Amino acid sequence: MRHFGHIAPEVRQRLFHQQPCEFTADSPARLLSAALGATLYSPATRPRLADDIVKQAGLGVVSMVLCLEDSIGDEDVPAGEENLVRQFTDLADRAVDLPLLFIRVRHPEQIPDLVRRLGPAVRLLSGFVLPKFTEERGIPFLEALSVAEAASGRRLFAMPVLESPELLYRETRVETLEGIARAVDKYRDRVLALRLGVTDFCSSYGLRRAPDMTAWDVQIVASVIADVVNMLGRADGTGFTVTGPVWEYFRVQERMFKPQLRRSPFLEGQAEELREALIEHAMDGLLREITLDQANGLLGKTCIHPSHVLPVHALSVVSHEEFSDAQDILRPERGGGGVLRSQYTNKMNEVKPHRAWAERTMMRAEVFGVANEDIGFVELLAAGITS
């Protein structure tokens, strides 16, 4: 699989200075954690789940979570488990490319049980999403994952979800984060990414952000995300990939504030109709949130609607200017440091302070590609929609 792999090769040639790389479920964890992109959630009870997965793969989805937790009722869990086993067995008989597939469970005991029940079809499974993760609640999940992995002979990853009230409340936040750090560090080789449960954060205070606002506009939520990145997302080799929170909206009936998408990039790309469609479906707020996610150290995003996938991927592509800066900073002869003017002659590149940014940018360039000099997110969006 590869990002933008659903787009015709000749179109990709026009869009990209450097094409997104190909990868598989067996690729190195470092690459997969950066390549998750827009992770699309789906209830495990969907009767045509196998068909849905194949369809979404054909539309550019590279990671999916099949959910046995909050997206289904308590009484539907047994049926959801049975459906997952049946649908995985169906997929195993098809010769098709599939996304990275994860199962979101409720209890540690579900992990080895589901792996056993999946049988040979477990080869399609990349891992499990672990809810309401703290050190105390999370360790049993990670231990169960190790047991299931040993029994199946299949590499299985964990993606803990950070969403518990202890993480939100100021008086317990640091202690909770320290515990989470201990737990995930102990199982570092199997923790692919950390996910943020912002809906649960808001729930603790009876809040819900409007489509005109991002998670970063809700200050109590923004403070938690900042602390998570501070302690768990560092670029010194101790950190993990932290993914962006879910965007809840996909159509807006009435708008209070002005749209947040400037008209000029769409006029230049002759895509004014695309701009109007994005605004109508609340995508201007999503695009702003993705941009703020990336500015604050997050990569990828939890998605609950297929229409959210392409905007996440389009804004994850490295611009030609970013790529040029990163290349300059990482040149071997720059190892001693120094300051240089960018090739675009519009900024200062300071080699030592900007090195970690450059390394992360090159990793993103490998998995999402580098846009040609005259290509922006509007052209990437338009190409993905019309493909």
Side-chain angles (χ1 to χ4, degrees):
M1 71 192 88
R2 72 160 87 201
H3 285 289
F4 298 94
H6 64 301
I7 294 177
E10 62 272 18
V11 178
R12 286 204 310 271
Q13 188 69 32
R14 176 176 59 82
L15 295 174
F16 288 98
H17 170 77
Q18 175 180 299
Q19 297 267 338
C21 71
E22 293 185 339
F23 57 94
T24 72
D26 297 317
S27 294
R30 176 175 169 272
L31 187 145
L32 292 181
S33 68
L36 287 167
T39 301
L40 183 63
Y41 274 55
S42 176
T45 51
R46 290 180 68 90
R48 298 182 61 83
L49 187 58
D51 292 336
D52 294 340
I53 291 169
V54 172
K55 176 183 177 181
Q56 294 307 322
L59 295 173
V61 172
V62 304
S63 63
M64 290 186 70
V65 172
L66 314 174
C67 185
L68 289 165
E69 208 225 356
D70 287 347
S71 68
I72 66 174
D74 298 346
E75 69 282 1
D76 294 326
V77 173
E81 292 178 345
E82 291 176 8
N83 190 54
L84 278 181
V85 173
R86 185 165 55 251
Q87 301 290 339
F88 265 80
T89 301
D90 180 354
L91 287 171
D93 292 333
R94 306 191 192 191
V96 293
D97 293 328
L98 297 174
L100 304 172
L101 297 177
F102 302 85
I103 298 174
R104 184 176 181 177
V105 291
R106 296 183 173 216
H107 312 292
E109 299 77 21
Q110 288 177 296
I111 294 176
D113 180 58
L114 283 168
V115 166
R116 177 186 58 78
R117 291 164 65 182
L118 284 172
V122 75
R123 64 182 173 81
L124 306 180
L125 183 66
S126 290
F128 292 88
V129 175
L130 315 180
K132 300 172 178 59
F133 193 92
T134 62
E135 182 178 30
E136 181 181 1
R137 289 195 293 269
I139 288 292
F141 279 103
L142 293 169
E143 290 174 343
L145 184 76
S146 295
V147 170
E149 185 178 65
S152 66
R154 168 74 182 163
R155 182 182 68 169
L156 297 170
F157 288 111
M159 290 200 292
V161 184
L162 310 186
E163 56 188 345
S164 64
E166 300 98 315
L167 188 59
L168 184 65
Y169 298 152
R170 183 172 183 175
E171 66 271 21
T172 54
R173 184 179 304 173
V174 173
E175 180 183 356
T176 302
L177 279 169
E178 289 174 343
I180 291 170
R182 286 191 296 268
V184 295
D185 186 62
K186 182 179 179 181
Y187 291 85
R188 175 171 293 274
D189 290 345
R190 288 298 171 263
V191 176
L192 191 62
L194 304 176
R195 312 199 72 89
L196 293 164
V198 164
T199 302
D200 283 57
F201 289 159
C202 290
S203 173
S204 295
Y205 288 88
L207 304 175
R208 185 174 190 177
R209 69 189 190 276
D212 301 296
M213 296 184 181
T214 71
W216 301 98
D217 295 313
V218 184
Q219 290 300 300
I220 197 165
V221 168
S223 71
V224 184
I225 302 175
D227 285 344
V228 168
V229 174
N230 189 326
M231 294 186 67
L232 298 169
R234 298 177 186 179
D236 59 1
T238 67
F240 296 83
T241 294
V242 183
T243 64
V246 69
W247 180 256
E248 298 179 351
Y249 296 94
F250 37 89
R251 190 173 182 88
V252 176
Q253 301 302 324
E254 186 175 354
R255 179 178 295 275
M256 181 180 296
F257 299 111
K258 288 183 178 179
Q260 301 174 78
L261 279 180
R262 290 190 305 112
R263 180 172 271 108
S264 54
F266 291 85
L267 293 176
E268 293 166 7
Q270 298 182 328
E272 178 67 9
E273 289 185 5
L274 173 59
R275 177 179 180 271
E276 295 300 324
L278 291 171
I279 291 171
E280 180 185 355
H281 290 82
M283 295 296 183
D284 55 329
L286 170 61
L287 292 170
R288 180 167 177 263
E289 183 165 285
I290 297 165
T291 303
L292 290 170
D293 287 348
Q294 294 176 354
N296 285 279
L298 308 183
L299 180 61
K301 200 167 187 62
T302 296
C303 294
I304 47 86
H305 195 274
S307 64
H308 299 169
V309 171
L310 184 58
V312 174
H313 293 170
L315 284 175
S316 297
V317 173
V318 173
S319 71
H320 188 273
E321 182 174 345
E322 289 176 308
F323 185 65
S324 172
D325 289 340
Q327 277 189 315
D328 281 351
I329 291 164
L330 295 176
R331 291 189 192 282
E333 63 269 25
R334 304 290 184 189
V339 177
L340 56 148
R341 185 175 64 172
S342 73
Q343 289 189 26
Y344 276 69
T345 67
N346 60 359
K347 72 176 77 64
M348 171 194 76
N349 288 328
E350 193 168 352
V351 173
K352 288 186 178 179
H354 289 146
R355 186 173 187 85
W357 168 85
E359 290 171 345
R360 284 190 169 185
T361 299
M362 295 303 275
M363 184 76 254
R364 186 159 55 92
E366 183 175 354
V367 296
F368 290 102
V370 179
N372 271 321
E373 194 168 357
D374 59 343
I375 297 296
F377 80 93
V378 172
E379 289 83 4
L380 293 162
L381 277 173
I385 290 171
T386 58
S387 63

